[in-house]
Amino acid sequence: MARLADVLDRWMRCPHIADVLHLDRGMPIYWLERMARRMNMAVLDDEPTRLQYYAINLRGPVYGWASSLLRGNAFTPAVTMCAEFERKFLDFFRPIYCHRRGRVDLYQLQQRGSVAEYAREHQSIVSSIEDLTPDECLATFTSGLKPELQRENSVHFASSYEEALVKAQWQEQNTRRRRQRNHTLPAQKGQR
């Protein structure tokens, strides 16, 4: 296995590989992907060295957990391959990631197509979050609507998700009719 002093020395000389995991600032899954990309760019092919780089960039209880994986104990053998470490890391963080990721996706969701398409996408994310309140469901739905629908008082002051959905669909139909009417009016004026 690579000597820790050698790995630390290389780490200090290669700051592009340094990427300390901060659990409060981002998703651990993304950190793992970034680290793998950085080590690939640095052409680190040596498995023990790659494992050491993973461990060096961890802090706190996660560092202790990862170190115990790399050392092994009487019950489990030491992890010697990056693929095995990555799999165990993902298994460890996946529940946290899925819970947070659903909320992040929900708050970032924006309407691109029709209200019906947006509602289907919104509901698929909502169904994956266990502790979502009705108010949070309503707030995320209305905040993701297209700006012209958000401005409408009828949608803005809805008291439930279902009411907001019905009002948004009604408003979308009215907007579509208004646009069609405005398109036909100039053509009719020119015919007279």
Side-chain angles (χ1 to χ4, degrees), residues 148-159:
E148 64 262 15
L149 293 176
Q150 284 183 18
R151 286 190 294 267
E152 294 299 324
N153 285 338
S154 61
V155 175
H156 188 67
F157 291 112
S159 60

Side-chain angles (χ1 to χ4, degrees), residues 107-164:
Y107 279 92
Q108 291 178 348
L109 183 63
Q110 295 292 313
Q111 179 189 359
R112 287 172 181 53
S114 70
V115 172
E117 292 166 349
Y118 170 65
R120 276 192 297 277
E121 196 172 354
H122 186 267
Q123 276 303 312
S124 71
I125 296 171
V126 165
S127 65
S128 69
I129 302 172
E130 295 173 9
D131 58 345
L132 192 71
T133 65
D135 289 339
E136 194 174 7
C137 180
L138 173 63
T140 55
F141 178 78
T142 56
S143 67
L145 287 169
K146 289 182 179 177
E148 64 262 15
L149 293 176
Q150 284 183 18
R151 286 190 294 267
E152 294 299 324
N153 285 338
S154 61
V155 175
H156 188 67
F157 291 112
S159 60
S160 69
Y161 167 77
E162 292 78 14
E163 182 182 353

Side-chain angles (χ1 to χ4, degrees), residues 67-74 76-79:
S67 296
S68 70
L69 281 178
L70 299 179
R71 281 192 311 270
N73 58 36
T76 57
V79 171

Side-chain angles (χ1 to χ4, degrees), residues 159-172:
S159 60
S160 69
Y161 167 77
E162 292 78 14
E163 182 182 353
L165 174 60
V166 168
K167 288 180 176 184
Q169 288 175 326
W170 182 81
Q171 193 61 44
E172 181 181 51

